[in-house]
Amino acid sequence: MNPEQLKAFEVAKSGKSIGLFSEAGTGKTFVTKKIIEWAKENSKSVGITSSTGTSAITMGGRTLHSFLGIGLAQKSAYNLVVNTRSKNPNTITKLKNLDILIIDEVSMISAELFDKVSEYLAIIRNRKDTPFGGVQLVLSGDMCQLPPVDGDYCFNSETWKQLNPEICILSKIMRQKDDETFRNILEDARFGVCTEESLKILKAQRNQTFGEIRPTILYSKNINVDAINL
């Protein structure tokens, strides 16, 4: 681990909730997996979740909603607890014994859901005055990526202020470390910037071949995506 990654790892080991944020390619998943390994070696109960199914699979976990047993989470926190106690008592036992909850792609978690999950866990664990019922959180993602479908970002919630996670920013890109030009283009694009020079470089790749690699083609409309896939 590089110094930034090691610092984040040590914060997590201390028991403090952590926000692990950065652009793609800096090793967020790598650090998170190290935290999971450490937690399991120390007999800690870890919930590995994400806001999206694809990310959850990559992490070897489940979506946050599935892990917590809250469905679409449309009911109040209290009613969600009542429903889970009735239909999934094993989930209640699991959450009572939970030590660490990992939430990847946290940018898509709304403030409302963040507050509701905190209250839900606090009721289950009988620690109503403590964010998430005392569970340590490892929040991972890039706040410049996809926002919540509805509502405000989770970092604007009241629960976030109470939780006060220690923010660790990973700035050293590992994935494109040998391609400075492409790295700079990605850094600009992250903030919605595309210079004329970057555009010229990207357009020059249009008719390039990349050996055995078949570049993914991106479209804004499903009809075009379906045509290519078919």
Side-chain angles (χ1 to χ4, degrees):
M1 285 188 281
N2 63 37
E4 290 178 340
Q5 294 170 340
L6 186 59
K7 176 187 175 183
F9 182 58
E10 292 298 328
V11 170
K13 286 170 60 179
S14 74
K16 183 174 177 57
S17 289
I18 178 175
L20 183 60
F21 302 126
S22 69
E23 58 195 289
T26 56
K28 292 189 298 296
T29 301
F30 171 74
V31 174
T32 303
K33 288 183 175 180
K34 287 294 184 182
I35 293 171
I36 294 169
E37 290 175 9
W38 169 83
K40 290 182 176 179
E41 287 170 359
N42 287 271
S43 302
K44 292 183 179 293
S45 176
V46 187
I48 306 170
T49 77
S50 176
S51 62
T52 68
T54 302
S55 174
I57 292 171
T58 301
M59 293 290 297
R62 299 158 63 183
T63 64
L64 179 64
H65 294 70
S66 172
F67 177 80
L68 296 176
I70 58 177
L72 297 177
Q74 294 178 333
K75 299 178 181 179
S76 69
Y78 175 79
N79 286 333
L80 288 173
V81 172
V82 170
N83 185 69
T84 304
R85 280 179 176 157
S86 172
K87 296 183 178 180
N88 300 298
N90 290 337
T91 297
I92 295 293
T93 302
K94 174 184 68 178
L95 297 179
K96 282 183 176 180
N97 296 319
L98 187 64
D99 296 308
I100 302 172
L101 177 60
I102 293 170
I103 307 178
D104 193 28
E105 300 293 358
V106 73
S107 68
M108 295 186 69
I109 302 295
S110 69
E112 179 186 5
L113 180 59
F114 201 71
D115 286 339
K116 187 176 292 186
V117 169
S118 176
E119 185 181 356
Y120 176 77
L121 287 173
I123 294 171
I124 288 174
R125 296 165 63 86
N126 198 27
R127 297 182 62 180
K128 298 182 181 180
D129 296 327
T130 308
F132 296 92
V135 175
Q136 178 187 0
L137 263 63
V138 176
L139 308 168
S140 175
D142 180 0
M143 291 301 181
C144 289
Q145 291 187 7
L146 291 173
V149 176
D150 292 305
D152 203 352
Y153 284 99
C154 58
F155 56 76
N156 286 324
S157 68
E158 284 302 314
T159 302
W160 186 283
K161 298 173 186 176
Q162 296 166 12
L163 183 69
N164 191 28
E166 182 159 345
I167 306 302
C168 293
I169 305 294
L170 302 183
S171 61
K172 186 174 179 60
I173 296 179
M174 308 302 292
R175 192 179 299 161
Q176 293 90 22
K177 62 182 179 180
D178 298 323
D179 191 340
E180 184 177 359
T181 299
F182 186 42
R183 186 172 71 241
N184 291 337
I185 291 173
L186 292 176
E187 288 176 355
D188 284 345
R190 183 167 174 253
F191 294 101
V193 175
C194 185
T195 65
E196 288 296 326
E197 180 62 25
S198 293
L199 187 59
K200 182 179 178 181
I201 293 171
L202 292 173
K203 283 185 174 181
Q205 310 307 311
R206 183 174 292 165
N207 298 314
Q208 295 284 347
T209 57
F210 301 91
E212 295 180 355
I213 298 174
R214 295 181 62 189
T216 300
I217 301 173
L218 303 180
Y219 285 105
S220 60
K221 295 182 178 180
N222 287 336
I223 187 172
N224 301 119
V225 172
D226 293 341
I228 287 290
N229 290 337
L230 287 172

